[in-house]
mmCIF file of all heavy atoms in Angstrom:
data_model
loop_
_atom_site.group_PDB
_atom_site.id
_atom_site.type_symbol
_atom_site.label_atom_id
_atom_site.label_comp_id
_atom_site.label_asym_id
_atom_site.label_seq_id
_atom_site.Cartn_x
_atom_site.Cartn_y
_atom_site.Cartn_z
ATOM 1 N N LEU A 349 -32.815 -118.792 92.476
ATOM 2 C CA LEU A 349 -33.720 -119.904 92.738
ATOM 3 C C LEU A 349 -34.208 -120.007 94.237
ATOM 4 O O LEU A 349 -34.846 -120.868 94.643
ATOM 5 C CB LEU A 349 -33.013 -121.214 92.435
ATOM 6 C CG LEU A 349 -32.650 -121.338 90.888
ATOM 7 C CD1 LEU A 349 -31.597 -122.417 90.766
ATOM 8 C CD2 LEU A 349 -33.882 -121.604 90.076
ATOM 9 N N SER A 350 -33.829 -118.956 94.988
ATOM 10 C CA SER A 350 -34.050 -119.025 96.404
ATOM 11 C C SER A 350 -35.440 -119.050 96.879
ATOM 12 O O SER A 350 -35.777 -119.475 97.893
ATOM 13 C CB SER A 350 -33.354 -117.864 97.143
ATOM 14 O OG SER A 350 -33.859 -116.654 96.615
ATOM 15 N N GLU A 351 -36.382 -118.549 95.933
ATOM 16 C CA GLU A 351 -37.812 -118.666 96.330
ATOM 17 C C GLU A 351 -38.531 -119.750 95.716
ATOM 18 O O GLU A 351 -39.696 -119.677 95.408
ATOM 19 C CB GLU A 351 -38.501 -117.311 96.096
ATOM 20 C CG GLU A 351 -38.509 -116.833 94.646
ATOM 21 C CD GLU A 351 -37.319 -116.014 94.246
ATOM 22 O OE1 GLU A 351 -36.485 -115.721 95.165
ATOM 23 O OE2 GLU A 351 -37.213 -115.610 93.099
ATOM 24 N N GLY A 352 -37.779 -120.840 95.401
ATOM 25 C CA GLY A 352 -38.453 -121.992 94.834
ATOM 26 C C GLY A 352 -39.160 -122.859 95.870
ATOM 27 O O GLY A 352 -38.957 -122.664 97.077
ATOM 28 N N SER A 353 -39.915 -123.779 95.316
ATOM 29 C CA SER A 353 -40.598 -124.669 96.259
ATOM 30 C C SER A 353 -39.808 -125.969 96.459
ATOM 31 O O SER A 353 -39.223 -126.449 95.557
ATOM 32 C CB SER A 353 -41.988 -125.008 95.688
ATOM 33 O OG SER A 353 -41.830 -125.649 94.495
ATOM 34 N N HIS A 354 -39.890 -126.504 97.637
ATOM 35 C CA HIS A 354 -39.267 -127.755 97.896
ATOM 36 C C HIS A 354 -40.397 -128.858 97.715
ATOM 37 O O HIS A 354 -40.860 -129.382 98.642
ATOM 38 C CB HIS A 354 -38.770 -127.844 99.278
ATOM 39 C CG HIS A 354 -37.562 -126.990 99.502
ATOM 40 N ND1 HIS A 354 -36.270 -127.500 99.398
ATOM 41 C CD2 HIS A 354 -37.461 -125.630 99.654
ATOM 42 C CE1 HIS A 354 -35.430 -126.472 99.629
ATOM 43 N NE2 HIS A 354 -36.115 -125.342 99.762
ATOM 44 N N GLY A 355 -40.719 -129.105 96.456
ATOM 45 C CA GLY A 355 -41.822 -130.084 96.215
ATOM 46 C C GLY A 355 -41.378 -131.514 96.454
ATOM 47 O O GLY A 355 -40.182 -131.805 96.605
ATOM 48 N N ASP A 356 -42.211 -132.363 96.359
ATOM 49 C CA ASP A 356 -41.881 -133.770 96.500
ATOM 50 C C ASP A 356 -41.790 -134.368 95.081
ATOM 51 O O ASP A 356 -41.752 -133.687 94.113
ATOM 52 C CB ASP A 356 -42.908 -134.465 97.375
ATOM 53 C CG ASP A 356 -44.260 -133.968 97.083
ATOM 54 O OD1 ASP A 356 -44.445 -133.349 96.004
ATOM 55 O OD2 ASP A 356 -45.193 -134.216 97.806
ATOM 56 N N LEU A 357 -41.835 -135.641 95.000
ATOM 57 C CA LEU A 357 -41.547 -136.420 93.847
ATOM 58 C C LEU A 357 -42.443 -136.029 92.718
ATOM 59 O O LEU A 357 -43.715 -136.107 92.884
ATOM 60 C CB LEU A 357 -41.685 -137.908 94.136
ATOM 61 C CG LEU A 357 -40.676 -138.843 93.496
ATOM 62 C CD1 LEU A 357 -39.275 -138.360 93.856
ATOM 63 C CD2 LEU A 357 -40.913 -140.232 93.929
ATOM 64 N N PRO A 358 -41.961 -135.582 91.595
ATOM 65 C CA PRO A 358 -42.820 -135.265 90.468
ATOM 66 C C PRO A 358 -43.344 -136.493 89.798
ATOM 67 O O PRO A 358 -42.804 -137.534 89.873
ATOM 68 C CB PRO A 358 -41.905 -134.421 89.586
ATOM 69 C CG PRO A 358 -40.531 -134.862 89.985
ATOM 70 C CD PRO A 358 -40.579 -135.435 91.294
ATOM 71 N N ALA A 359 -44.408 -136.312 89.068
ATOM 72 C CA ALA A 359 -45.088 -137.452 88.418
ATOM 73 C C ALA A 359 -44.313 -137.787 87.160
ATOM 74 O O ALA A 359 -43.782 -136.941 86.505
ATOM 75 C CB ALA A 359 -46.535 -136.967 87.995
ATOM 76 N N PRO A 360 -44.117 -138.948 86.881
ATOM 77 C CA PRO A 360 -43.305 -139.374 85.755
ATOM 78 C C PRO A 360 -44.023 -138.997 84.440
ATOM 79 O O PRO A 360 -45.270 -139.089 84.383
ATOM 80 C CB PRO A 360 -43.139 -140.926 85.939
ATOM 81 C CG PRO A 360 -44.261 -141.328 86.797
ATOM 82 C CD PRO A 360 -44.636 -140.172 87.629
ATOM 83 N N VAL A 361 -43.243 -138.717 83.485
ATOM 84 C CA VAL A 361 -43.738 -138.422 82.138
ATOM 85 C C VAL A 361 -43.438 -139.589 81.277
ATOM 86 O O VAL A 361 -42.276 -139.911 81.083
ATOM 87 C CB VAL A 361 -43.204 -137.158 81.575
ATOM 88 C CG1 VAL A 361 -43.762 -136.843 80.201
ATOM 89 C CG2 VAL A 361 -43.440 -135.985 82.538
ATOM 90 N N GLU A 362 -44.503 -140.183 80.616
ATOM 91 C CA GLU A 362 -44.240 -141.437 79.889
ATOM 92 C C GLU A 362 -43.579 -141.088 78.601
ATOM 93 O O GLU A 362 -43.813 -140.034 77.943
ATOM 94 C CB GLU A 362 -45.616 -142.088 79.617
ATOM 95 C CG GLU A 362 -46.245 -142.598 80.944
ATOM 96 C CD GLU A 362 -45.416 -143.615 81.604
ATOM 97 O OE1 GLU A 362 -44.856 -144.523 80.932
ATOM 98 O OE2 GLU A 362 -45.189 -143.471 82.810
ATOM 99 N N PRO A 363 -42.838 -142.100 78.125
ATOM 100 C CA PRO A 363 -42.230 -141.930 76.760
ATOM 101 C C PRO A 363 -43.263 -141.709 75.647
ATOM 102 O O PRO A 363 -43.066 -141.029 74.675
ATOM 103 C CB PRO A 363 -41.437 -143.199 76.556
ATOM 104 C CG PRO A 363 -41.157 -143.728 77.895
ATOM 105 C CD PRO A 363 -42.232 -143.225 78.834
ATOM 106 N N LYS A 364 -44.454 -142.344 75.878
ATOM 107 C CA LYS A 364 -45.444 -142.234 74.904
ATOM 108 C C LYS A 364 -45.904 -140.779 74.722
ATOM 109 O O LYS A 364 -46.078 -140.273 73.577
ATOM 110 C CB LYS A 364 -46.662 -143.027 75.382
ATOM 111 C CG LYS A 364 -47.547 -143.630 74.211
ATOM 112 C CD LYS A 364 -48.509 -144.574 74.781
ATOM 113 C CE LYS A 364 -49.417 -145.126 73.655
ATOM 114 N NZ LYS A 364 -50.383 -146.032 74.330
ATOM 115 N N GLN A 365 -45.990 -140.114 75.875
ATOM 116 C CA GLN A 365 -46.355 -138.716 75.740
ATOM 117 C C GLN A 365 -45.286 -137.873 75.039
ATOM 118 O O GLN A 365 -45.573 -137.013 74.206
ATOM 119 C CB GLN A 365 -46.435 -138.068 77.241
ATOM 120 C CG GLN A 365 -47.733 -138.259 77.881
ATOM 121 C CD GLN A 365 -47.597 -137.696 79.301
ATOM 122 O OE1 GLN A 365 -46.966 -138.316 80.135
ATOM 123 N NE2 GLN A 365 -48.214 -136.570 79.468
ATOM 124 N N VAL A 366 -44.104 -138.278 75.337
ATOM 125 C CA VAL A 366 -42.941 -137.527 74.696
ATOM 126 C C VAL A 366 -43.000 -137.777 73.157
ATOM 127 O O VAL A 366 -42.864 -136.835 72.390
ATOM 128 C CB VAL A 366 -41.605 -138.008 75.208
ATOM 129 C CG1 VAL A 366 -40.468 -137.300 74.494
ATOM 130 C CG2 VAL A 366 -41.525 -137.636 76.758
ATOM 131 N N GLY A 367 -43.184 -139.000 72.829
ATOM 132 C CA GLY A 367 -43.247 -139.284 71.417
ATOM 133 C C GLY A 367 -44.394 -138.594 70.633
ATOM 134 O O GLY A 367 -44.162 -137.978 69.577
ATOM 135 N N ALA A 368 -45.594 -138.585 71.359
ATOM 136 C CA ALA A 368 -46.705 -137.916 70.749
ATOM 137 C C ALA A 368 -46.481 -136.394 70.553
ATOM 138 O O ALA A 368 -46.738 -135.891 69.492
ATOM 139 C CB ALA A 368 -47.979 -138.142 71.554
ATOM 140 N N ALA A 369 -45.811 -135.794 71.606
ATOM 141 C CA ALA A 369 -45.594 -134.450 71.529
ATOM 142 C C ALA A 369 -44.490 -134.127 70.464
ATOM 143 O O ALA A 369 -44.516 -133.132 69.721
ATOM 144 C CB ALA A 369 -45.143 -133.887 72.816
#
Side-chain angles (χ1 to χ4, degrees):
Chain A
L349 299 165
S350 57
E351 59 271 357
S353 61
H354 290 262
D356 42 14
L357 219 55
V361 179
E362 294 301 315
K364 208 169 177 183
Q365 274 177 286
V366 176

